Amino acid sequence: MAINMFGLIVSGRLVQTDFVSVDVNKCLITIQNADDINHVVVFMTGSQPFPEGMAGTVYFSFPDPLSPPTWIYLGFISNDKPSAIFKITKLKPTTDTNVLASGDSRGFGFAQPIVSHVAQIGISTEPMAVISQMVSDPNANPTQQNNFDDFAVKAAENLFNYCTSFSNSLQQFLNSPLNGQQFIPMSTIQQWYENFTRRLRQNPHFWRN
Amino acid sequence: MAINMFGLIVSGRLVQTDFVSVDVNKCLITIQNADDINHVVVFMTGSQPFPEGMAGTVYFSFPDPLSPPTWIYLGFISNDKPSAIFKITKLKPTTDTNVLASGDSRGFGFAQPIVSHVAQIGISTEPMAVISQMVSDPNANPTQQNNFDDFAVKAAENLFNYCTSFSNSLQQFLNSPLNGQQFIPMSTIQQWYENFTRRLRQNPHFWRN
């Protein structure tokens, strides 16, 4: 795997091409001061294509010196799709300042974890047949659409759950002080959800009116 | 202005470095088949820095053969910020198929506009003092958060309004086929809406639980 096959751009920083080969079909690159980064661009430089039927799976790791590295699958680049932008904001661990509060000896004796500030991007050349079965971390490529759909579901569920505790039959309400109000049937919430998500699919911007 | 100073990546495509000099401090690059592109990465290759006190303003144009080019200011790159990702989805004109319905002679005589499918990115080297006064098109750099916040509020409003339009008095529902369902008083919907939007303002991600 020729090392100058790939480039990396951390948004706002200078392009990097210093990938290091770690195996016959794997290479990785280190990102310094990785705490505040949000987007990375991984791309083929054009110097060399992938062998036929192969492509490059892209992984992200935020090394934790206290545990083995966890590689998160972001997605892939290929001869047909030689560049990709990945959002990594949500893949970074949150700093738990109480991790070593119990005086864990792995630390320096203070109640503070050792947090690594470098990240790594790894690229592994794999057969497309394998890659087509892989699912990338949804937080790495949140399409606007998925995010909106997620919200619509959660909003409808939130309303539904809230309303369930206040719902009742017509007859019960007739006998209550609320009987002068306007009411809606619970089925309205499900209807809204179905209409709203259908319109989102037809036009993801319809709600901007 | 050395032409190999800059690179361009249209997300999903191969990196381009074929910027063309159009003036002593300006260069531009053409993007083919630009209808479906969403993000572009503009970056310094590292071959040459900007002169001291100077930086590169980045413009986008979606050429319309029927009118003079409009250059939209996206933002800048500099020695301290040598790369940037711009979202250009909302900067592309919508195709108005009725533009030439009146038989405008600028067209081919058919009721269809001539739509250009190429786009251009221009970079102009300017003093930082000038650039610091410039405001980029808000649609070019919409933070995901702002977009999503708008959506969440609008979706909650949409849900509330939808429910309102289906509300009715108890008596009306008694005489309808819906009378076997569970019902909710509109005051509950109102309460939900106020609680939900208040929590959204405090933490736009609370609903992800």
Side-chain angles (χ1 to χ4, degrees), chain A residues 9-10 12-14 82-83 144 151 158 162 167-168 173 181-184 186-187 191-192 195 207-208, chain B residues 9-10 12-14 82-83 147 151 158-159 162-163 167-168 173 181-184 186-187 191-192 207:
Chain A
I9 297 173
V10 174
R13 300 190 187 181
L14 198 56
S83 67
Q144 191 99 313
F151 179 84
N158 191 289
Y162 185 89
S167 68
N168 224 324
F173 277 124
Q181 284 207 29
Q182 293 280 297
F183 285 78
I184 61 159
M186 281 293 281
S187 58
Q191 260 167 253
W192 170 83
N195 287 354
W207 52 273
R208 293 183 193 275
Chain B
I9 297 173
V10 174
R13 301 189 188 182
L14 199 57
S83 67
N147 245 352
F151 172 78
N158 190 289
L159 175 48
Y162 186 90
C163 292
S167 68
N168 222 326
F173 278 122
Q181 286 206 29
Q182 293 282 297
F183 284 80
I184 315 146
M186 273 307 289
S187 59
Q191 264 165 255
W192 170 84
W207 52 274

Side-chain angles (χ1 to χ4, degrees), chain A residues 115-184:
Chain A
V115 179
S116 170
H117 300 285
V118 302
Q120 287 183 319
I121 292 282
I123 301 178
S124 176
T125 302
E126 308 282 347
M128 272 306 303
V130 169
I131 297 175
S132 56
Q133 305 298 319
M134 296 172 65
V135 180
S136 55
D137 189 303
N139 285 323
N141 296 295
T143 62
Q144 191 99 313
Q145 188 63 35
N146 288 348
N147 258 343
F148 287 173
D149 281 355
D150 281 348
F151 179 84
V153 170
K154 290 277 162 66
E157 278 177 8
N158 191 289
L159 173 56
F160 188 87
N161 293 335
Y162 185 89
C163 291
T164 303
S165 52
F166 292 93
S167 68
N168 224 324
S169 67
L170 282 176
Q171 285 70 21
Q172 295 280 9
F173 277 124
L174 276 170
N175 299 323
S176 83
L178 296 171
N179 67 9
Q181 284 207 29
Q182 293 280 297
F183 285 78
I184 61 159

Side-chain angles (χ1 to χ4, degrees), chain B residues 28-190:
Chain B
L28 65 83
I29 194 169
T30 300
I31 301 172
Q32 302 296 329
N33 302 312
D35 289 346
D36 299 324
I37 66 180
N38 292 303
H39 293 93
V40 297
V41 187
V42 181
F43 64 101
M44 298 178 71
T45 59
S47 64
Q48 185 177 325
F50 285 106
E52 192 169 336
M54 307 290 277
T57 47
V58 183
Y59 291 84
F60 173 80
S61 168
F62 203 79
D64 177 356
L66 302 178
S67 53
T70 304
W71 290 98
I72 300 167
Y73 175 56
L74 300 181
F76 69 92
I77 54 176
S78 66
N79 295 336
D80 292 329
K81 191 181 73 112
S83 67
I85 302 174
F86 301 109
K87 183 183 172 81
I88 60 171
T89 321
K90 285 197 277 187
L91 302 179
K92 293 177 288 186
T94 53
T95 311
D96 185 347
T97 54
N98 290 324
V99 163
L100 299 177
S102 56
D104 190 306
S105 63
R106 286 176 296 170
F108 288 111
F110 300 105
Q112 278 184 7
I114 305 165
V115 178
S116 169
H117 299 286
V118 303
Q120 288 183 319
I121 293 282
I123 302 179
S124 175
T125 301
E126 308 283 348
M128 272 306 303
V130 169
I131 297 175
S132 58
Q133 305 297 318
M134 296 171 68
V135 179
S136 57
D137 189 302
N139 285 324
N141 297 292
T143 64
Q144 188 101 324
Q145 190 55 42
N146 287 349
N147 245 352
F148 190 80
D149 285 353
D150 282 348
F151 172 78
V153 170
K154 287 274 164 68
E157 274 177 15
N158 190 289
L159 175 48
F160 179 80
N161 292 335
Y162 186 90
C163 292
T164 305
S165 61
F166 284 91
S167 68
N168 222 326
S169 67
L170 288 173
Q171 283 70 23
Q172 295 282 6
F173 278 122
L174 273 172
N175 300 324
S176 85
L178 297 170
N179 65 11
Q181 286 206 29
Q182 293 282 297
F183 284 80
I184 315 146
M186 273 307 289
S187 59
T188 302
I189 308 290
Q190 179 76 34

